[in-house]
């Protein structure tokens, strides 16, 4: 167990009403969020489609312990969290990581061999540096807001909308998300920028998908293409979407593309409603 936290990780599990597809799915959230971001739409939708869909909150996130020592957590600690939850499954789960969670998944591939992996708007294997420089040049205001949030500063609804959404989002929903957005570990940000980047030569290489959003200011399409090229797989860019792909109004386009791919990889009797 991760020695920096005192207690179990928050794990949200949604199961189908009937028999489940034999291949479970494990979702890994990005920076500033928690398992809740997957439970808004993706977890119940995949459960209705016949899958056991699980999301964890990394140490110091959501309802997982460790918020009071968030900056002590490293990227390796987050990887250990995911491996801990993976090891609870009777069948190894497909890993799906968003943004920071994508880099956590890449680091997990150095230690584990999941049956497949999906990166959504992921931090590239080359690190956060290109994203940070690009954002500072294109949107210095948004960069300043994210830096303030990293340090536990006030949350701006406008900045949250700009960071996550290209499509309309109701004000009440945006306000609800703002209440759940949180600071991130500065140590992890540095790990993802420079100090603990994935080593592609050490990774297991299961079937992989690399997904991105056309209007993402944080991980724009060229960085998604960079990730795909490093891994030797094609990138799929969803038009008219922002960084928060699992929360956008058109989230089902992403979910269905992912579902079709998983069903093709792991055929089984799976009712899609």
């Amino acid at each position: 167990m991760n020695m920096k936290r005192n207690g179990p990780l928050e794990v949200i599990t949604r199961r189908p009403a009937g028999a489940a597809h034999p291949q479970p799915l494990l979702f890994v959230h990005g920076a500033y969020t928690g398992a809740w971001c997957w439970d808004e739409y993706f977890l119940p939708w995949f459960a209705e489609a016949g899958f056991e869909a699980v999301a964890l909150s990394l140490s110091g996130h959501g309802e997982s312990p460790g918020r009071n020592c968030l900056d002590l957590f490293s990227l390796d600690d987050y990887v250990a969290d995911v491996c801990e939850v993976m090891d609870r499954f009777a069948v190894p789960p497909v890993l799906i990581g968003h943004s920071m969670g994508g880099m956590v998944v890449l680091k997990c591939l150095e230690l584990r061999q999941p049956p497949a992996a999906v990166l959504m708007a992921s931090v590239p294997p080359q690190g956060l540096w290109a994203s940070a420089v690009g954002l500072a040049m294109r949107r210095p205001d948004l960069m300043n807001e994210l830096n303030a949030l990293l340090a536990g500063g006030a949350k701006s609804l406008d900045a949250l909308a700009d960071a996550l959404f290209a499509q309309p989002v109701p004000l009440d929903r945006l306000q609800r998300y703002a209440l759940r957005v949180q600071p991130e570990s500065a140590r992890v940000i540095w790990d993802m920028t420079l100090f603990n980047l994935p080593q592609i030569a050490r990774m297991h290489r299961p079937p992989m998908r690399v997904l991105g959003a056309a209007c993402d200011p944080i991980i724009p399409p060229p960085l998604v293409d960079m990730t795909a090229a490093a891994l030797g797989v094609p990138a799929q860019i969803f038009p008219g979407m922002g960084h928060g792909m699992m929360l956008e109004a058109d989230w089902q386009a992403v979910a269905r593309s992912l579902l079709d791919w998983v069903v093709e990889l792991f055929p089984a009797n799976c009712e899609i409603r």
Side-chain angles (χ1 to χ4, degrees), residues 164-253:
L164 294 181
F165 301 106
Q167 300 171 354
V169 56
L171 178 60
D172 61 338
R173 181 165 290 163
L174 191 63
Q175 290 171 329
R176 181 158 52 84
Y177 295 160
L179 291 175
R180 307 194 76 169
V181 166
Q182 63 166 83
E184 187 49 68
S185 166
R187 180 177 178 184
V188 168
I189 298 299
W190 279 109
D191 279 348
M192 294 193 298
T193 303
L194 183 63
F195 295 120
N196 194 11
L197 300 182
Q199 300 181 50
I200 292 178
R202 295 180 56 187
M203 291 179 191
H204 296 289
R205 302 296 288 273
M208 299 188 72
R209 289 287 305 280
V210 174
L211 311 179
C215 303
D216 187 343
I218 298 173
I219 307 292
L223 296 189
V224 179
D225 291 337
M226 182 188 301
T227 298
L231 298 171
V233 299
Q236 181 179 2
I237 305 297
F238 289 84
M241 298 191 81
H243 187 66
M245 300 171 70
M246 77 290 283
L247 296 172
E248 280 278 30
D250 289 342
W251 63 269
Q252 284 197 37

Side-chain angles (χ1 to χ4, degrees):
M1 176 178 284
N2 187 326
M3 297 305 293
K4 294 190 181 71
R5 61 175 164 83
N6 181 24
L9 294 166
E10 177 188 26
V11 177
I12 301 175
T13 301
R14 303 298 176 196
R15 295 185 176 92
H21 188 288
Q23 180 57 63
L25 311 175
L26 178 58
F27 295 84
V28 185
H29 65 79
Y32 308 108
T33 61
W36 63 265
C37 72
W38 298 110
D39 201 37
E40 187 78 7
Y41 299 118
F42 267 48
L43 297 191
W45 190 87
F46 277 96
E48 188 176 353
F51 283 80
E52 179 183 7
V54 179
L56 77 153
S57 289
L58 300 166
S59 292
H61 295 75
E63 299 301 320
S64 290
R67 185 76 66 90
N68 61 340
C69 56
L70 184 64
D71 281 333
L72 297 180
F73 291 115
S74 67
L75 186 59
D76 284 342
D77 291 323
Y78 291 173
V79 172
D81 290 341
V82 176
C83 290
E84 175 186 324
V85 176
M86 285 182 70
D87 291 345
R88 301 177 190 176
F89 286 84
V91 175
V94 172
L95 293 182
I96 302 106
H98 174 256
S99 194
M100 177 186 77
M103 179 166 277
V104 173
V105 167
L106 289 174
K107 295 294 292 182
C108 284
L109 294 180
E110 297 176 5
L111 303 174
R112 294 290 192 277
Q113 191 165 1
V118 179
L119 308 179
M120 294 172 51
S122 174
V123 177
Q126 295 87 346
L128 265 178
W129 186 251
S131 172
V133 171
L135 187 61
M137 294 178 64
R138 295 187 311 271
R139 292 292 308 274
D141 56 332
L142 183 55
M143 184 68 173
N144 289 337
E145 293 280 0
L146 291 176
N147 285 336
L149 182 58
L150 178 68
K155 305 166 188 176
S156 161
L157 290 183
D158 288 342
L160 182 62
D162 288 348
L164 294 181
F165 301 106
Q167 300 171 354
V169 56
L171 178 60
D172 61 338
R173 181 165 290 163
L174 191 63
Q175 290 171 329
R176 181 158 52 84
Y177 295 160
L179 291 175
R180 307 194 76 169
V181 166
Q182 63 166 83
E184 187 49 68
S185 166
R187 180 177 178 184
V188 168
I189 298 299
W190 279 109
D191 279 348
M192 294 193 298
T193 303
L194 183 63
F195 295 120
N196 194 11
L197 300 182
Q199 300 181 50
I200 292 178
R202 295 180 56 187
M203 291 179 191
H204 296 289
R205 302 296 288 273
M208 299 188 72
R209 289 287 305 280
V210 174
L211 311 179
C215 303
D216 187 343
I218 298 173
I219 307 292
L223 296 189
V224 179
D225 291 337
M226 182 188 301
T227 298
L231 298 171
V233 299
Q236 181 179 2
I237 305 297
F238 289 84
M241 298 191 81
H243 187 66
M245 300 171 70
M246 77 290 283
L247 296 172
E248 280 278 30
D250 289 342
W251 63 269
Q252 284 197 37
V254 182
R256 186 162 293 279
S257 175
L258 173 54
L259 178 65
D260 290 345
W261 182 71
V262 171
V263 170
E264 183 179 358
L265 276 179
F266 309 102
N269 292 327
C270 178
E271 182 182 356
I272 302 174
R273 295 188 281 270

